[in-house]
Amino acid sequence: EKKKSNCKKVNFRSVRKLIEIYPKSKFVFISSDSVYCGSTPHSENKLKKPLNYYGSLKLKSENLIRKLSKNYFIIRTTPVGHPGINKKKTFVSWIIDGAKKNKKIDLFGDVFFSPISTNYLIKEIKFILKNNLVGTYNISSKNKISKYNFAKKLCDILKLNSSNLKKSKVSNVTLYANRNKNQVLDCNLYQKTFKRKYIYCKSF
């Protein structure tokens, strides 16, 4: 929201350039739960009305891919995990670093999502490539969890101090980018279409 020009370069122009350079390649696109809005779990056929600029660019990229590529797979997902090769801080690493340093961490108890670990997401991408699947699908965990409870669960599993985790409400905070309170993805279509097993948050 603060740097829209850079956001557009990363989340739309780069996608367009890749499609133009490699029009015949298999194109797997990692989209986002931010393309959705509303208070119920989001299914693929639900009305798309992003609440922030990032989400609108993800949706714009999806539409471009469907227009220009005949061999694509668009994944709407909410991956969580440690930083990759670019070392960019993630939601998970922010929680872990804060807990290790005994910092106070404010987390929303009224914002729910259905996260999938990067390890599980990689397995699904391998399955998609191996079977040359095509389409636009939600891929995430089966059950929902609040941001606060996710952090508490993560700290408990890693045996980190969770006493500094503070439950807050998104309605009491001013955010640069508007976000849904309900970011839960309905993955039934993907699971049933390709006969994939459900993934639960307890797998983290």
Side-chain angles (χ1 to χ4, degrees):
E1 297 295 313
K2 292 188 291 184
K3 298 181 179 180
K4 289 187 176 179
S5 178
N6 285 345
C7 187
K8 191 170 186 178
K9 286 178 183 178
V10 172
N11 293 295
F12 178 70
R13 289 179 182 168
S14 62
V15 175
R16 183 175 61 190
K17 181 152 286 194
L18 285 168
I19 291 260
E20 290 171 349
I21 295 172
Y22 305 107
K24 296 181 180 179
S25 297
K26 180 70 176 183
F27 202 93
V28 177
F29 181 64
I30 308 297
S31 190
S32 169
D33 59 31
S34 293
V35 302
Y36 295 109
C37 71
S39 59
T40 58
H42 309 296
S43 60
E44 290 85 347
N45 60 2
K46 192 174 180 181
L47 177 67
K48 316 301 178 296
K49 193 176 179 182
L51 298 179
N52 54 55
Y53 189 63
Y54 166 77
S56 68
L57 289 178
K58 284 291 190 181
L59 187 58
K60 189 175 181 179
S61 291
E62 286 188 13
N63 293 333
L64 181 73
I65 292 165
R66 280 189 286 268
K67 180 180 178 180
L68 300 181
S69 175
K70 293 181 180 179
N71 189 13
Y72 67 86
F73 198 99
I74 295 169
I75 303 173
R76 293 175 180 156
T77 187
T78 312
V80 292
H82 288 289
I85 56 173
N86 60 4
K87 303 300 180 185
K88 181 181 177 181
K89 185 170 284 190
T90 67
F91 181 52
V92 166
S93 66
W94 173 66
I95 294 167
I96 292 173
D97 290 345
K100 285 182 176 179
K101 296 174 182 177
N102 291 315
K103 288 184 177 180
K104 178 185 173 183
I105 307 174
D106 286 309
L107 293 138
F108 300 133
D110 58 345
V111 174
F112 292 86
F113 69 143
S114 49
I116 182 172
S117 74
T118 50
N119 286 338
Y120 278 106
L121 183 58
I122 288 168
K123 288 179 182 178
E124 293 307 315
I125 292 174
K126 287 181 178 179
F127 173 79
I128 289 162
L129 292 173
K130 182 179 178 181
N131 294 280
N132 198 30
L133 305 184
V134 175
T136 303
Y137 293 89
N138 295 336
I139 300 179
S140 201
S141 58
K142 168 66 175 174
N143 53 332
K144 68 179 183 179
I145 190 169
S146 71
K147 300 277 185 168
Y148 172 80
N149 285 334
F150 175 86
K152 194 170 187 314
K153 190 169 189 176
L154 181 67
C155 288
D156 290 344
I157 289 171
L158 297 177
K159 299 188 184 330
L160 295 173
N161 179 19
S162 62
S163 63
N164 290 315
L165 302 180
K166 304 300 178 184
K167 187 186 290 188
S168 60
K169 292 185 177 181
V170 69
S171 55
N172 296 334
V173 180
T174 301
L175 301 173
Y176 282 109
N178 290 325
R179 291 297 304 268
N180 275 330
K181 276 188 175 183
N182 190 329
Q183 300 163 12
V184 179
L185 297 177
D186 180 346
C187 301
N188 283 316
L189 182 61
Y190 176 75
Q191 306 287 351
K192 292 178 180 178
T193 302
F194 304 114
K195 296 179 173 57
R196 302 301 287 165
K197 291 182 179 179
Y198 283 115
I199 300 165
Y200 290 85
C201 288
K202 66 182 182 181
S203 299
F204 291 100

